[in-house]
Every structure is written in structure tokens, then in C-alpha cells.
Amino acid sequence: MKTTIAATIDQHADTFIEISRYIGEHPELGHEEWLASRRLMDELKRHGFEIQNPVLDLPTAFIGTFSSGKPGPVVAFLCEYDALADLGHACGHHIIGTMGIAAAIGLQSVIRETGGTIRVYGTPAEETKGAKVPMSAEGLFDDVDFALMAHPYHTYEKSGESLAMDAIQFEYFGKAAHAAASPYEGVNALDAVLLLFQSINALRQQLQSHVRIHGIIPEGGKAANIIPDYASAQFYVRSSNRPYTDEVVQKVMRCAEGAALQTGCTLKTSNYEFSYDELITNQTLSDLFTKNLIAMGVKEEEIQYGKDHGSVDLGNVSRHCPTIHPYIKVIDEVHLLHTKEFRDLAMKDRAFEGMLLGAKVLANTAYDAIANPDILKAIRDEFKKSLNRA
């Protein structure tokens, strides 16, 4: 069966590479991925997948479904295809999206023998307002037996951890005045933002080491001779788990309220992006992926433990079905994600070789879980236990 999977992916390799290259050459921001989503949907449709688009009124989201016609598990492959502002595909989402459909098409070649259903979820805007958040909240993964995706990187990593995250905007409203003639008539909104930063910096000493708080000032006034009547700050607040993230957010909120009180400003807070939960890796499924990766020729000592690389909206999915998020080596030089160097190397032939390898390993992992009831039961049992601990 795995020989058939590999042969199918190899048979369509040129098409997969062309699609990935096309998406890489036409970067689109989150929820604007018109070209990328269309290319992925068209290829799935060409292979007999039924396409739902849009999904939850998200115009660049889609779900592609192929049923074997026999009872069996529901397998989900997740695709991302949004780019970064000013950087393009420096996170390799042109590879992730194509890897997902390639894995699905590979598994399709044997699904009639095993039974079950393949779903491909096209999930826009992972970098900002990730579509996996509302998809999860609306129950679109609740009947999925397990979900798979792999991320390109400069090394191989097992599915590991991510940080829960809230994206919070603080807006301060004061009163404008001439900064030289009558500053005492003003209420300085920028002072409130500066006090917020100072308070958060003082707070860090009392927080656990896995917390990350980082922010910017999108607006701090219009002219130096005018007391700013409006200023804003945007922060990401992250930690290794959702309960502690919620606790830290409340402390940050008190810092913001204190800054408003000290300056006499009015404060407005909002979430400017979706909140992401931490990734709960299904270890049984992760071990199966690692086993298949080794079987494809990767040496065990090359595979590292999955480190924290920030926050992913896949964390929300992992609370609804067993999920993994390993990393596949697609470049041979050490360059981090979200850099021009990674972006450029991720468009080379070497990167597309890694993409095809990742697709085969994803499909083989799904096959093993479908074909072996004991493995599938172990995956489900672990997932139930992980929910009780979360």
C-alpha cells in the first residue's frame, strides 16, 4: 500500500511542485489567498474531491472531501497558504498547502481498500486571524479521527509544543493641547502607553519563565508640539498553556488600567487577532509519523524534539481531535522562519524534494492509523486523556 502511495505522489510530483512554486511566486496575505486557494481546490477537484467553498463565510477557506464508500475513520490533512507582509512566503506556507493536498491524493490511492474518508481543510490566515480558530469553535473537526500537517524547516523535528497566545490592543483616549503654550490643558495618551510598557516590564519579574510578552506602538501622536489625545499599543501575550495565559492577561490588563488611572485617560481594550491555544501533540500519532520518517530514510539522530516556535492556530484543533505538527527539513542551511534567507531557499528544488517526502510520510502515517485498529484506538485513548489534563 505504501508503495502505491509513494508511486501516486511521484506520478504527480511535477504538478505539485508547479503548484507550490506558483503559490510561492504569488504571495497573498491572510484571507486574501484567492490564487493559492483556487489552485489547491482545482487540483483536489481534478482528483475527484468534493469541494466546499467558502467555509463559515471565509471566502478563501475550503474543505475537500473524498469518501471511500466504506465505513472507516475520518482523516484530516490541513493546508496553510497565507504569506507574510513584506516578506512573502518566508514561513513556507506555499509548501504546507501543497504538501497537504499531495498527502491526501497519495492516501486516496489506497483509501478504497482501507475504508474511511479523507478531508482536506484549507485554512487561511494562520499568521493573523487563523481560520482554524472559528473552524474549531464551530465543530468542524469534532468528527475527525485525527488531523495531520507538517511544517517546513531547516531540520527534522517531532511534533512538540507551541504557546497559547492572546493578541490585545490597548487604546488610550486623552485630550489634545498645545505642548508648549498650554500642556497643562492636555491629557497625554502617549504617556499612558509608555506607562503601560514600563508596567509590563516591571511585571515580567513576577512571571514564569515560559511567558512571552511583546508589543509595539502603532500610533503615538501626530506632531511633537501637540499633546497626543490618542495612542495605541498592540501586544502578544503568550505562555505554555491557556490557563496561565489567561492569568497573565489579567495582570497585563491591570497594568493597562493603572496607566489610564495615572494619566486620566480613557482605556479601550480589544483582541485584534484570534486567540490561539497551545498545541496538544498526540504522542501516539507523533511516534507513528517519526517511525514512517525513519522508514523513508531519515536517520533517527537527525530528528530533534519539537521545540517551541511560537503560536499556531492548530493548537485550537488539537482540543477537538488528535493532532500533530512535526517539522520537515526542506533547506540544508540553518535559517530561521520569517527570514528572507528561508524564503529564498524554500523556493529551490531541494525544498520541493522535502515537500514531497513530507507528503509521503503524512500519507503513510494516516494509512498506518487507518489500517490498524489497535493504533487508532491508542490514538483516541490518548486524546481523551489529554483533554482531561488540559
Side-chain angles (χ1 to χ4, degrees), residues 227-238:
I227 298 295
D229 63 348
Y230 175 81
S232 64
Q234 291 181 339
F235 278 88
Y236 286 115
V237 180
R238 314 181 197 240

Side-chain angles (χ1 to χ4, degrees), residues 255-284:
C255 291
E257 292 163 0
L261 182 63
Q262 291 178 78
T263 57
C265 289
T266 301
L267 170 65
K268 178 183 177 182
T269 63
S270 59
N271 290 88
Y272 66 95
E273 292 177 3
F274 291 148
S275 296
Y276 292 177
D277 291 333
E278 73 274 18
L279 175 66
I280 304 173
T281 285
N282 187 276
Q283 197 58 53
T284 306

